[in-house]
Amino acid sequence: MTDQPVFISVIVAVFNGSTTLQQCIDSFEGQTYQNKELIIIDGGSDDGTVDVLKANSNKISYWSSKSDKGIYSAWNKGLNHSNGNWICFLGADDYFWDNEVLKKISVNLNRLPTSTNVAYGKVMLVSKLDKPLYFVGKPWEKVKHQFTKFMSIPHPGLMHRKNLFKDNGNFDESFKIAGDYELLLREFKKREAVFMPIIIAGVRQGGISCNSGHSLKLLQE
């Protein structure tokens, strides 16, 4: 455990996400937990996303809009502007499940030993029409043996201690889909994760890693 207050950086990568980004921002802004910041990195959208960012600039600690090399390039840019000792990555079509999520997360993170760099909860997969489908996320003891074969924990429900990146480096931008998995493989060679029994986010189906058209690419990476 540590006496250092939990400060949470939420980093969002977006490209042409104008139809869902506002919900993502509102779910952050509505959190009762105040020790937080929102960073949004846009990949040079041309669909009105920048208008959404400008309209919400008072809610965003940092944002930029310029072409990049993909989601991991955007997340690395976000890391360079983050101040949190814990970091969460959301997609522009994800959103926090309720207004108490970050408060509940902070309570759990405060209990962790300083040697723990990864804590995660559950996410609810939802349809494009926001219909809840099913939960993803099980205790680490039940899924850790699967992790060397596939991503067995939900990344939108995952908190990264800042030290994880100091110890392992940032996301490898040569990956297009599996960069989050590869980074965690580096971490789990040395340490393990901790499960938090919390529903953290709603994850709308259709993102790059769950698109069936990218399945072969994901397996190759």
Side-chain angles (χ1 to χ4, degrees):
M1 298 177 65
T2 177
D3 294 329
Q4 185 180 12
V6 174
F7 188 87
I8 299 173
S9 297
V10 179
I11 299 177
V12 177
V14 59
F15 179 70
N16 287 346
S18 62
T19 59
T20 60
L21 181 59
Q22 187 65 56
Q23 183 184 22
C24 180
I25 294 172
D26 289 344
S27 76
F28 170 87
E29 180 66 16
Q31 293 297 306
T32 59
Y33 191 73
Q34 297 300 309
N35 215 13
K36 64 186 190 296
E37 67 177 359
L38 178 61
I39 297 166
I40 302 181
I41 308 297
D42 174 51
S45 296
D46 57 10
D47 70 334
T49 294
V50 174
D51 293 330
V52 176
L53 292 170
K54 289 178 178 177
N56 291 275
S57 59
N58 62 318
K59 305 172 186 175
I60 306 170
S61 297
Y62 175 85
W63 70 269
S64 66
S65 180
K66 58 185 69 176
S67 61
D68 55 39
K69 299 176 183 177
I71 189 170
Y72 303 115
S73 170
W75 283 354
N76 284 338
K77 288 180 183 179
L79 283 170
N80 291 335
H81 294 278
S82 65
N83 298 295
N85 49 1
W86 285 93
I87 299 164
C88 174
F89 298 91
L90 290 183
D93 46 4
D94 304 334
Y95 53 90
F96 288 117
W97 194 243
D98 61 55
N99 290 345
E100 297 287 316
V101 167
L102 293 187
K103 180 179 179 180
K104 289 180 281 190
I105 286 174
S106 69
V107 171
N108 280 265
L109 296 181
N110 264 324
R111 298 170 179 163
L112 296 179
T114 55
S115 59
T116 298
N117 284 340
V118 174
Y120 68 97
K122 298 187 288 185
V123 302
M124 173 66 83
L125 298 186
V126 298
S127 70
K128 292 183 179 180
L129 299 177
D130 283 343
K131 179 181 178 181
L133 300 174
Y134 55 90
F135 290 113
V136 174
K138 296 180 180 179
W140 180 241
E141 292 73 21
K142 293 184 177 181
V143 298
K144 65 179 181 180
H145 66 284
Q146 301 171 331
F147 202 86
T148 55
K149 300 176 182 178
F150 61 90
M151 183 73 162
S152 57
I153 59 178
H155 199 254
L158 194 149
M159 303 299 298
H160 311 67
R161 196 188 292 272
K162 192 77 173 251
N163 286 343
L164 183 151
F165 300 99
K166 294 178 181 178
D167 294 345
N168 298 288
N170 288 359
F171 295 101
D172 184 339
E173 297 179 16
S174 68
F175 292 101
K176 300 304 178 186
I177 302 174
D180 47 347
Y181 177 52
E182 188 274 335
L183 175 68
L184 291 174
L185 282 172
R186 284 182 256 160
E187 170 65 15
F188 293 153
K189 288 179 179 179
K190 299 166 286 188
R191 287 172 285 267
E192 297 195 350
V194 170
F195 176 70
M196 302 179 289
I198 302 167
I199 304 171
I200 293 180
V203 177
R204 191 175 283 105
Q205 294 300 277
I208 185 169
S209 62
C210 58
N211 186 318
S212 60
H214 293 107
S215 296
L216 178 59
K217 178 67 174 177
L218 178 60
L219 288 171
Q220 289 171 337
E221 291 191 350

